[in-house]
Amino acid sequence: MSNITSEDLFKNIISHAKEYGFIFQSSEIYDGLSAVYDYGQNGSELKKNIREYWWKAMVQMNENIVGIDAAIFMHPTTWKASGHVDAFNDPLVDNKDSKKRYRADVLIEDHLAKIEAKISKEVEKARTRFGDSFNEETFRTTNARVLENQKKIDEINMRFKNALEVGDLNEVRQIIIDLEIVCPVSGTRNWTDVRQFNLMFNTQLGSVSEESSTIYLRPETAQGIFVNFLNVQKTGRMKIPFGIAQTGKAFRNEIVARQFIFRMREFEQMEMQFFIKPGTEMEWYKHWKDVRLKWHRSLGFPETVHRFHDHLKLAHYANAACDIEFKFPFGFKELEGIHSRTDFDLGNHEKFSGKKLQYFDPDSGQSYVPYVIETSIGLDRMFLAILSQSYAEEKLEDGSERVVLRIPEFLAPVKCAVLPLVKKDGLPEKAREIMDRLKFDHLCQYEEKDSIGKRYRRQDAIGTPFCITVDHQTLEDQTVTIRYRDSMVQERIEVGSIEKILIDKVDMKKALRQISG
RNA sequence: GCGGAAGUAGCUCAUUUGGUAGAGCAUCAGCCUUCCAAGCUGAGGGUGGCGGGUUCGAGCCCCGUCUUCCGCUCCA
């Protein structure tokens, strides 16, 4: 459809996802939960297949990459070491007029700096007045105006410190109001409440609340790999370079979460941390960029839907970083990140745990903290990429319309539908017989309700790549028609050859061969 | 988070100053038997997002709340 806007298209994809059992809003009967979604009967299959394809491509196809499955709960110190506790724990306040958001502590500190500047000015004035005989120390401890300002600073500091310690955000707001701090943009004092935006969800470990300690739901899976670096390296006798892969849920308390499953509070990551010798990071960085792009391209979508986006402003842990972006209906957006994380994580875990996280290099006879190249892809985003790229509204030659999901065959939720042309004359029995054989290899569906055309359309809508139709001729010569989702072409094939043909067409092997060459 | 819009059956939508809620499609049962949706008959399904208020009476008016969408803002 050429005249459909991308906004409408995206809306249609979302309703299609719900109508055909791919994605439901979480807790919908209770009005839903914002930015949390459930995968339905078809969605969970597609998601599982994507995960499996990633896992095979990363772990099964690479001798030097192994997988783990670390717990979501981790020791709280993990997140101090990773930088998540400090970096994402700020009290924020908005100015209602300018709509600008500020860190409350920064506003107050800026105000303190202004008072501090006043003091410095007094000191400088005095210095020029008194010349060589000037004693700054004495001046600072005796001058009335300096003392008054210093007293102000101390009082504010004390008040602010207390407020933060007891977590009294109203008091923080009151400080801003009492100090008559204005917004640099609007110049007004029209402030919202001060709010704490924590990136991480926390919960209690321990059944009795008084004895319990606060732990976090992991905001990324990577740290589960880093804290197990030594365990895996030693028990697996891994030699650098080697990688550890993991898929699993992560949780982020997003301030604004939107665009369907693109940004969710609970989501699944597929990550691989590749441990290397320091100094070799740029070549490995390039290597994994190439490898990962190849993986994406192996799905057979047009090359124009992917592009690299290099990060100019780097995160605290990285010395090179880029995204593989995908052309979603709402524009190019990050799908996978490839980061050169240096020895930031392992180094910090060494510091915080007091354990040596080093690798002994037998060639050089030296130990070092390995550098890390990370590949990190959002499974839910990958799901959305495949869903939106596969979705097509078609006008057929006879004037009718169909909605079809051209999901790569080996990822499709249902691989094959078995359909008796009519619901009598022994055709259902024959179809059941075929179904019972195929189900050992693939997830298949049997359908006998409604006209054959209607059933084909239903299978198109969930992306089933093949339909096997049993008709009267089948009973005579043991042949059926196989009907292709994308072309709608039908062929007559022998019943006995169905299994072989299907396996050939839906096997993941073909795609894996493509990326391993 | 701020501003705007919306929420009626599984879906798309009606119900013209407030007077006991309807259609199409879908679903289910039966009939028909036909290789690309839309044949016939019948049935089920809604305390109008939720809570409160005004009123003799609220899907409709008012307030709150939840969810979604759009714009802004934020994003390791």
Side-chain angles (χ1 to χ4, degrees):
Chain A
M1 307 263 131
S2 54
N3 56 354
I4 191 169
T5 68
S6 60
E7 193 180 299
D8 284 338
L9 175 68
F10 189 43
K11 275 187 180 155
N12 291 351
I13 291 170
I14 293 171
S15 19
H16 189 86
K18 185 189 171 190
E19 186 176 356
Y20 289 94
F22 284 86
I23 309 273
F24 306 124
Q25 193 184 13
S26 163
S27 320
E28 197 184 356
I29 62 167
Y30 292 109
D31 276 341
L33 192 60
S34 181
V36 185
Y37 291 89
D38 298 337
Y39 285 80
Q41 66 276 23
N42 291 318
S44 57
E45 285 293 332
L46 174 56
K47 188 180 177 195
K48 183 202 72 185
N49 293 341
I50 297 170
R51 190 194 293 113
E52 185 187 346
Y53 182 49
W54 181 87
W55 189 265
K56 286 192 170 176
M58 299 301 275
V59 177
Q60 187 174 322
M61 300 299 292
N62 290 289
E63 289 174 35
N64 62 345
I65 298 179
V66 294
I68 64 167
D69 184 8
I72 289 170
F73 294 154
M74 298 184 73
H75 192 283
T77 310
T78 307
W79 306 111
K80 287 205 177 74
S82 71
H84 286 86
V85 171
D86 293 332
F88 304 100
N89 225 3
D90 309 319
L92 300 178
V93 62
D94 292 348
N95 183 273
K96 288 180 186 168
D97 299 310
S98 66
K99 314 271 185 225
K100 292 287 171 194
R101 172 166 296 155
Y102 302 92
R103 279 173 53 176
D105 55 326
V106 170
L107 281 179
I108 291 171
E109 270 155 27
D110 284 351
H111 185 79
L112 290 177
K114 274 183 199 157
I115 303 176
E116 188 71 48
K118 273 188 197 166
I119 295 177
S120 299
K121 217 170 155 192
E122 288 289 337
V123 171
E124 286 315 305
K125 259 162 65 185
R127 190 193 306 279
T128 45
R129 198 171 343 135
F130 293 110
D132 292 342
S133 62
F134 178 66
N135 183 319
E136 185 175 333
E137 183 68 25
T138 314
F139 182 78
R140 275 182 184 270
T141 49
T142 54
N143 179 278
R145 246 177 288 181
V146 171
L147 285 179
E148 192 189 323
N149 277 324
Q150 190 58 50
K151 194 177 154 211
K152 260 194 214 166
I153 291 177
D154 292 343
E155 276 173 6
I156 295 166
N157 259 331
M158 178 69 75
R159 216 179 138 192
F160 183 52
K161 215 178 126 199
N162 282 339
L164 280 191
E165 263 171 23
V166 299
D168 186 351
L169 296 178
N170 284 333
E171 169 70 359
V172 175
R173 177 166 189 264
Q174 199 55 48
I175 294 172
I176 292 173
I177 291 170
D178 292 348
L179 296 180
E180 301 183 348
I181 295 175
V182 297
C183 167
V185 176
S186 67
T188 70
R189 290 179 226 152
N190 194 5
W191 298 106
T192 62
D193 288 343
V194 175
R195 285 156 307 211
Q196 194 91 26
F197 283 123
N198 293 319
L199 167 88
M200 294 188 285
F201 292 95
N202 57 48
T203 186
Q204 260 63 247
L205 189 70
S207 50
V208 185
S209 60
E210 298 90 66
E211 295 171 5
S212 65
S213 61
T214 297
I215 57 168
Y216 299 102
L217 270 56
R218 65 182 178 201
E220 63 174 24
T221 54
Q223 299 305 325
I225 292 177
F226 294 131
V227 300
N228 278 298
F229 165 73
L230 269 193
N231 286 337
V232 174
Q233 191 272 320
K234 293 217 155 120
T235 58
R237 305 188 324 283
M238 308 303 290
K239 307 265 186 304
I240 276 183
F242 75 94
I244 302 177
Q246 164 166 237
T247 71
K249 289 280 181 80
F251 306 83
R252 296 181 190 184
N253 204 356
E254 301 285 353
I255 300 169
V256 175
R258 247 186 239 170
Q259 272 158 338
F260 198 37
I261 57 171
F262 184 80
R263 178 165 288 135
M264 293 193 290
R265 299 215 155 94
E266 174 180 342
F267 60 103
E268 186 159 347
Q269 294 184 304
M270 305 192 289
E271 292 197 314
M272 193 277 297
Q273 308 293 334
F274 199 69
F275 300 95
I276 53 172
K277 188 174 176 177
T280 63
E281 66 266 26
M282 286 327 282
E283 48 189 279
W284 281 114
Y285 174 65
K286 193 183 167 308
H287 169 82
W288 282 108
K289 275 175 76 168
D290 293 344
V291 170
R292 290 308 303 153
L293 184 63
K294 223 169 169 184
W295 185 84
H296 287 283
R297 295 234 159 119
S298 70
L299 296 181
F301 295 142
E303 296 210 339
T304 51
V305 300
H306 297 108
R307 72 177 188 198
F308 280 115
H309 173 252
D310 292 310
H311 288 197
L312 300 175
K313 200 178 133 226
L314 295 171
H316 58 283
Y317 54 74
N319 70 354
C322 72
D323 297 332
I324 295 176
E325 294 188 334
F326 184 83
K327 194 175 182 181
F328 288 98
F330 42 87
F332 271 102
K333 287 277 153 66
E334 176 187 351
L335 176 58
E336 171 158 9
I338 297 152
H339 296 192
S340 172
R341 290 182 81 128
T342 68
D343 58 357
F344 176 86
D345 299 279
L346 288 181
N348 269 2
H349 285 304
E350 260 200 342
K351 233 178 278 168
F352 279 79
S353 68
K355 306 280 192 311
K356 262 199 159 184
L357 299 179
Q358 303 199 351
Y359 175 80
F360 177 75
D361 186 343
D363 293 331
S364 65
Q366 287 183 330
S367 290
Y368 57 81
V369 178
Y371 269 37
V372 170
I373 302 294
E374 166 190 271
T375 72
S376 172
I377 173 172
L379 175 49
D380 310 274
R381 288 183 180 185
M382 192 63 206
F383 182 101
L384 183 58
I386 290 173
L387 184 70
S388 53
Q389 188 63 39
S390 301
Y391 180 89
E393 298 172 3
E394 292 183 342
K395 192 141 210 154
L396 302 178
E397 283 171 14
D398 64 1
S400 65
E401 290 175 8
R402 74 161 181 167
V403 174
V404 55
L405 295 183
R406 300 178 190 280
I407 300 171
E409 284 86 346
F410 67 98
L411 296 178
V414 177
K415 297 295 191 292
C416 177
V418 183
L419 319 167
L421 186 61
V422 294
K423 203 170 28 174
K424 60 172 194 178
D425 303 335
L427 300 189
E429 290 77 5
K430 185 68 190 167
R432 281 276 178 207
E433 198 184 304
I434 294 170
M435 172 77 186
D436 285 341
R437 286 216 325 265
L438 295 183
K439 71 184 180 191
F440 285 92
D441 290 314
H442 316 284
L443 184 63
C444 300
Q445 275 187 4
Y446 173 86
E447 271 201 295
E448 59 181 25
K449 174 129 175 89
D450 293 317
S451 74
I452 191 69
K454 221 172 194 175
R455 282 177 276 168
Y456 285 153
R457 298 296 167 88
R458 273 205 292 264
Q459 295 299 329
D460 288 341
I462 63 169
T464 306
F466 309 103
C467 292
I468 300 291
T469 303
V470 172
D471 57 16
H472 293 91
Q473 192 185 331
T474 306
L475 302 178
E476 291 160 21
D477 66 0
Q478 295 292 309
T479 62
V480 294
T481 53
I482 180 168
R483 180 260 191 192
Y484 298 95
R485 174 195 68 196
D486 295 351
S487 62
M488 298 171 71
V489 165
Q490 300 179 76
E491 284 171 6
R492 196 95 207 157
I493 59 170
E494 309 248 326
V495 169
S497 65
I498 299 174
E499 280 155 290
K500 194 173 167 299
I501 291 173
L502 264 193
I503 284 183
D504 181 55
K505 289 186 188 297
V506 303
D507 199 0
M508 209 169 263
K509 239 184 256 175
K510 242 192 295 180
L512 288 170
R513 282 217 183 85
Q514 213 180 311
I515 57 174
S516 71

